[in-house]
Amino acid sequence: MIVLLVLLSLLPVLAAFALSRRRRFTVIVGMGLFSLILSAVYLLLHAPDVAVTEVAINAALITFIYIIAIRKTGKLVVVSDEIPGLLYREGQQISGLEKEILSGFARQLGLELVIRFLPVEQVPTALQQGEADIGAGGIISEIDDNTVLKTQGYLPTALYHLSKQTKPHPKQEQSTVTGFFSDLREEFQAGKISACTLDLARFVALSRSDLSPYTVRRLDGLFSYVFLVAPAQEQLHHQFVSYLSELEESGELDKLTRRYFS
Amino acid sequence: MRHRRIGLSIYAIILVCCFCGLVIALFSYQEPTGQLGAIYLSRAPSETGAANIVTAIYLNYRLYDTLFEILIFSVAVLGVRFYLSDYREKEIVEKIPESQIVRTSADLFFPPIFLIGIYLTLSGHLSPGGGFSGGVVAGTALLLCAVALGANTVGKRFYEPTLRWLEWGVLLVVLSLPLLPIVVGRLPFTGLLPPGTMGKVISGGSIPIYNLLIGIKVFIGTWVIIHYFMRHRGEV
């Protein structure tokens, strides 16, 4: 009798556990545990037939089917350019500040993080077409694109204008970056680019090479890095915004930033 | 927004009241006189010959209900098949990581689990079990194999050629078996075979036959569900 009462009182606890978890895999394990306890209850209530069926179907089969079902939906697809410091390949691995933020977010949602590299101007298109969930890779808050959702800025940055002419040409200030950043860097080293506007992370990465032919001017205004979210994923956008503000409030973001940009 | 919140609160209060009412009703509920249960308990052993009264009820007195249950299961399998066919098959089947633990445990556990499934199916009239749970247990054994060897490898051995026909053939037999007594001039849904002595392996009239057929049907259905999920949604 006592055993039965204990098991019965465990049921709502397990149900609440399964309902309150964010990670889908944990929810499924909670549900499996729930049916296991439930079958023990059936057994104690002298219904062994029902108990056997409950174990076979709910605890084993259904749990398994749910796990397969979340496998495909359980991915967070990120499209990004490769930017040193923010998101870059390091041997076989991908690291960087944005990678840390994104993998933390994916872990919280119980999703597997998949990163695909795309040139920066193709990132919004990929998001609009539903090929990816999140766009990253040093995207500036100033970007004037209403077709995708934007998060709040997570890191302040600055814009630098580089030009070979001594006098900055007002028309060329708008010339933004296109293509893969690694290609751009090679073109810079070959001296093919005459003028360009770059953000801080790209500028720092470039400044390792020789920038003496260029005059560098810092643009006025406050800029920061943001993430882009696919327009169809309003709920994901909401979750990501609140995740970023949680990260900022807990001071975790500062710690991560210091690790990559000390 | 505000109205909606008020409406939701009223709805929640009504729900809680209903729930409390149900709980109170449950505790103040007079137990039924137990006449029907007593009748089943006294008559079932001699009439059906099954030691497990639950089986005696659902495969003899309430066979009608059980047939529709099988039909529901078949429709569920059909639904899985229909909706997952829209997803294109994975062209490149992801390689299963060669895990020695999974492979060894599959080798070790597949025979006993499968045997337990068969045992549960065939001893449904004597002890807890029956076609439904036995079939699912045997299907789960196949699932273990599929995890260890890959769904397509197991699928080639088990599914493609014969199982589809077997599945629908068994369903047809199960659905037409209750009508068989008409041939010998008795009412449908009555027992064909003599009940036999209670507790013997061969007893319980036609209950073991039904259990076996249901077991095969559920086993195949379980495997179809697993196979379709694995093939169209990716390996585990």
Side-chain angles (χ1 to χ4, degrees):
Chain A
M1 190 64 197
I2 295 166
V3 179
L4 182 64
L5 280 179
V6 168
L7 289 181
L8 275 177
S9 55
L10 260 177
L11 286 179
V13 174
L14 274 172
F17 170 81
L19 280 174
S20 61
R21 289 305 101 174
R22 270 192 178 165
R23 215 181 145 202
R24 296 178 208 195
F25 188 74
T26 324
V27 173
I28 293 171
V29 170
M31 279 168 57
L33 216 59
F34 180 88
S35 20
L36 210 62
I37 304 272
L38 191 62
S39 71
V41 170
Y42 286 143
L43 195 66
L44 289 172
L45 290 173
H46 305 291
D49 293 84
V50 189
V52 167
T53 315
E54 174 78 28
V55 163
I57 294 179
N58 263 8
L61 190 67
I62 300 286
T63 307
F64 179 76
I65 286 176
Y66 275 144
I67 288 174
I68 311 180
I70 65 160
R71 276 285 292 185
K72 201 154 189 187
T73 49
K75 279 180 182 164
L76 184 73
V77 182
V78 175
V79 281
S80 167
D81 191 5
E82 201 177 340
I83 307 296
L86 291 176
L87 200 114
Y88 57 100
R89 270 176 280 212
E90 200 173 41
Q92 290 289 320
Q93 282 183 322
I94 298 172
S95 45
L97 173 65
E98 288 191 340
K99 163 73 178 19
E100 300 273 342
I101 294 172
L102 287 167
S103 58
F105 180 56
R107 209 178 308 126
Q108 193 190 45
L109 293 180
L111 301 172
E112 187 194 342
L113 184 67
V114 179
I115 295 177
R116 278 167 40 207
F117 288 109
L118 274 187
V120 65
E121 77 273 9
Q122 288 179 22
V123 167
T125 326
L127 293 177
Q128 281 161 29
Q129 288 171 351
E131 286 170 19
D133 305 313
I134 289 177
I139 287 160
I140 304 296
S141 51
E142 279 294 283
I143 193 169
D144 208 24
D145 198 341
N146 289 325
T147 52
V148 289
L149 301 168
K150 260 189 289 183
T151 63
Q152 74 273 42
Y154 68 92
L155 182 69
T157 182
L159 285 184
Y160 293 90
H161 185 74
L162 282 78
S163 66
K164 274 186 173 172
Q165 290 141 321
T166 40
K167 280 181 186 175
H169 205 284
K171 272 181 191 170
Q172 276 174 342
E173 265 185 32
Q174 295 303 319
S175 59
T176 44
V177 195
T178 52
F180 278 116
F181 177 65
S182 46
D183 297 340
L184 185 82
R185 182 151 55 175
E186 276 172 23
E187 283 176 32
F188 251 103
Q189 277 156 0
K192 284 179 190 167
I193 306 272
S194 59
C196 192
T197 308
L198 291 173
D199 60 88
L200 186 60
R202 286 180 173 87
F203 179 70
V204 169
L206 271 185
S207 61
R208 286 182 200 140
S209 56
D210 184 26
L211 286 180
S212 51
Y214 295 95
T215 46
V216 178
R217 193 170 60 87
R218 188 177 166 158
L219 297 186
D220 297 328
L222 292 169
F223 304 99
S224 56
Y225 289 123
V226 295
F227 287 104
L228 299 180
V229 180
Q233 303 263 27
E234 271 179 41
Q235 200 197 347
L236 187 80
H237 177 246
H238 183 72
Q239 284 169 326
F240 199 23
V241 167
S242 58
Y243 175 75
L244 281 177
S245 42
E246 269 172 42
L247 208 64
E248 205 169 347
E249 278 164 27
S250 66
E252 194 70 25
L253 192 62
D254 280 344
K255 245 188 257 174
L256 286 175
T257 312
R258 250 176 274 134
R259 194 190 303 168
Y260 287 97
F261 302 98
S262 50
Chain B
M1 192 67 200
R2 200 181 157 81
H3 286 289
R4 209 175 149 208
R5 193 165 282 178
I6 292 170
L8 273 179
S9 329
I10 292 171
Y11 182 60
I13 290 168
I14 291 172
L15 271 188
V16 168
C17 286
C18 285
F19 181 73
C20 291
L22 277 177
V23 169
I24 293 166
L26 192 70
F27 278 104
S28 60
Y29 185 59
Q30 290 286 312
E31 278 208 5
T33 43
Q35 271 177 351
L36 197 61
I39 289 170
Y40 276 138
L41 282 175
S42 63
R43 286 172 60 176
S46 58
E47 276 185 1
T48 67
N52 184 354
I53 304 286
V54 176
T55 314
I57 290 173
Y58 83 79
L59 283 179
N60 193 316
Y61 296 115
R62 301 274 174 90
L63 183 60
Y64 188 71
D65 292 1
T66 310
L67 289 185
F68 280 96
E69 248 174 78
I70 300 166
L71 219 55
I72 288 170
F73 183 77
S74 303
V75 171
V77 173
L78 201 67
V80 168
R81 210 180 240 164
F82 181 76
Y83 283 107
L84 283 184
S85 298
D86 284 356
Y87 286 92
R88 82 191 142 85
E89 278 182 43
K90 290 206 137 194
E91 283 140 19
I92 312 149
V93 175
E94 288 163 36
K95 267 254 166 190
I96 306 248
E98 287 277 319
S99 164
Q100 200 62 45
I101 297 172
V102 173
R103 293 202 74 145
T104 312
S105 61
D107 286 345
L108 210 63
F109 288 118
F110 174 71
I113 295 177
F114 200 75
L115 273 181
I116 287 172
I118 295 172
Y119 170 78
L120 280 177
T121 307
L122 291 179
S123 71
H125 56 301
L126 303 171
S127 58
F132 282 105
S133 43
V136 175
V137 169
T140 318
L142 220 51
L143 158 71
L144 187 62
C145 249
V147 169
L149 301 170
N152 278 10
T153 321
V154 181
K156 267 175 205 145
R157 276 183 219 164
F158 276 90
Y159 183 60
E160 254 77 53
T162 45
L163 282 198
R164 192 183 288 245
W165 292 104
L166 195 61
E167 192 194 354
W168 297 106
V170 167
L171 181 65
L172 201 67
V173 172
V174 169
L175 290 183
S176 54
L177 208 57
L179 301 176
L180 208 59
I182 298 176
V183 181
V184 289
R186 281 154 68 176
L187 286 172
F189 290 95
T190 50
L192 252 188
L193 300 170
T197 31
M198 193 181 93
K200 286 272 164 59
V201 175
I202 298 174
S203 65
S206 37
I207 289 176
I209 298 174
Y210 279 117
N211 261 336
L212 182 66
L213 290 174
I214 293 171
I216 294 172
K217 170 84 190 97
V218 172
F219 168 64
I220 298 172
T222 309
W223 169 241
V224 168
I225 291 176
I226 293 168
H227 191 208
Y228 265 71
F229 261 91
M230 283 182 118
R231 207 165 60 173
H232 295 273
R233 304 279 303 187
E235 301 275 348
V236 171

